[in-house]
Amino acid sequence: MLNSDISCYVALHRGLGRKFSEQCRMLQLFADYAERFGDQHTKIDRIYG
């Protein structure tokens, strides 16, 4: 779920003319990490834990 949401978010920014390549890479890495724990949404504990 996180990865599909990130794809939409990145597409929005790229549609506005931004490259957004580094941000995309970082968001995808975080989504992969969070999904390994079974997260479907961003959790504060996962970010700062």
Side-chain angles (χ1 to χ4, degrees):
M1 175 159 194
L2 286 173
N3 276 315
S4 64
D5 291 341
I6 287 171
S7 294
C8 291
Y9 183 74
V10 169
L12 171 71
H13 282 273
R14 287 184 175 162
L16 294 171
R18 298 183 177 122
K19 289 185 181 179
F20 221 69
S21 57
E22 184 63 20
Q23 293 89 339
C24 177
R25 186 181 75 78
M26 295 298 288
L27 287 167
Q28 288 174 334
L29 286 172
F30 175 76
D32 292 340
Y33 168 77
E35 285 182 345
R36 278 187 247 133
F37 289 95
D39 295 352
Q40 294 182 352
H41 304 283
T42 302
K43 296 181 177 182
I44 296 297
D45 293 345
R46 193 73 59 221
I47 295 170
Y48 295 108

